[in-house]
Amino acid sequence: MKKKTVPSMIKDPHLIKKRREQMIKAAVHLFIEKGFHRTTTREIAKHAGFSIGTLYEYIGAKEDVLYLVCDNIYEEVRERLAQHLKQEGAGLERLKQAITAYFLVIDEMQDEVLVMYQETKSLPNEALKYVLEKEMDMAEMFELIIIDCLKSGELMITEDKVKLLAQNILVQGQMWTFRRWAIQRHYSLSEYTKYQISGLLQVR
């Protein structure tokens, strides 16, 4: 699906990027504190450091800010994973490294991930479909590595479980954020990652 175009009255791409990054940071803070529906665009503008008039030079509606938050998160995760997957390594070790990299980026973007999954339902249908497709794209990145592990005989699951394993990896990474109030009291990210890899892949 084609990426949603967020309207902007400004033509300078560098300025658009800068201002929207400020909006995203402010919106994440407010959405966590108040929720999407109770947050106003005026509050987002104020927390971002500019006027409501300036804000509407870079977006068309409040839903655009939520879309930018979601799109930014997926792009960040995808880019980091893609960079990692270009590195040397193969088979099971490569899969472990990919899971570790994914969990790390989720840890670094905990607030954004939490907002995304709490508020995605508020997106318009077109934007929601695009965001969900991005989720499937991430799953497919893991599916390709899992299939390589099957071919090398390092992972003992049947082909019909490849998609489920990929989805489980995504969910376990997200759980570090969703259940952080309980999990992070008892485990470091390194411990959590080690235990999840062991459980997911049935390896030591």
Side-chain angles (χ1 to χ4, degrees):
M1 175 173 284
K2 186 179 179 182
K3 184 172 183 174
K4 171 182 164 60
T5 300
V6 177
S8 174
M9 298 168 61
I10 307 300
K11 302 304 180 184
D12 183 345
H14 298 293
L15 189 55
I16 291 173
K17 184 175 185 294
K18 178 182 176 181
R19 292 291 188 230
R20 287 181 173 174
E21 285 175 351
Q22 291 173 305
M23 285 182 210
I24 289 168
K25 185 176 180 180
V28 166
H29 173 79
L30 289 166
F31 292 166
I32 287 175
E33 183 181 305
K34 303 178 63 174
F36 172 76
H37 291 291
R38 292 176 59 202
T39 298
T40 67
T41 49
R42 189 172 298 278
E43 289 172 322
I44 294 172
K46 181 180 178 181
H47 277 73
F50 39 78
S51 69
I52 185 70
T54 299
L55 181 119
Y56 277 111
E57 290 179 347
Y58 295 91
I59 61 165
K62 185 171 73 171
E63 287 77 12
D64 289 337
V65 180
L66 178 58
Y67 169 78
L68 290 172
V69 170
C70 294
D71 190 51
N72 177 71
I73 294 165
Y74 279 120
E75 280 301 306
E76 183 74 17
V77 174
R78 186 193 64 77
E79 286 177 13
R80 291 201 198 184
L81 275 177
Q83 288 175 3
H84 183 80
L85 297 180
K86 289 178 183 177
Q87 298 176 6
E88 293 184 3
L92 195 59
E93 190 57 36
R94 189 166 178 244
L95 179 55
K96 290 179 182 179
Q97 291 173 0
I99 294 172
T100 300
Y102 170 64
F103 282 18
L104 179 60
V105 71
I106 292 294
D107 177 68
E108 293 173 353
M109 303 179 72
Q110 288 185 53
D111 289 342
E112 290 90 337
V113 171
L114 192 60
V115 165
M116 182 176 67
Y117 283 98
Q118 285 178 337
E119 305 294 352
T120 295
K121 60 185 181 296
S122 300
L123 287 169
N125 285 338
E126 178 190 359
L128 178 59
K129 288 179 181 177
Y130 172 78
V131 166
L132 293 178
E133 283 194 8
K134 300 275 275 191
E135 179 94 359
M136 295 306 297
D137 287 345
M138 280 205 301
E140 287 176 6
M141 294 176 76
F142 280 106
E143 287 175 25
L144 293 174
I145 311 174
I146 294 167
I147 289 170
D148 282 343
C149 292
L150 295 186
K151 290 178 179 178
S152 66
E154 294 178 88
L155 195 59
M156 306 308 293
I157 64 169
T158 53
E159 288 188 16
D160 61 325
K161 293 185 176 68
V162 169
K163 290 185 179 298
L164 182 59
L165 177 55
Q167 292 293 336
N168 280 340
I169 291 169
L170 294 183
V171 170
Q172 295 306 319
Q174 294 156 6
M175 190 169 78
W176 177 250
T177 291
F178 299 151
R179 303 285 297 178
R180 63 186 180 185
W181 57 272
I183 294 171
Q184 294 183 26
R185 293 168 55 193
H186 302 288
Y187 304 101
S188 66
L189 177 63
S190 177
E191 290 170 333
Y192 179 80
T193 301
K194 180 177 71 172
Y195 297 149
Q196 289 294 354
I197 287 176
S198 176
L200 287 163
L201 307 184
Q202 297 297 301
V203 295
R204 292 177 178 245

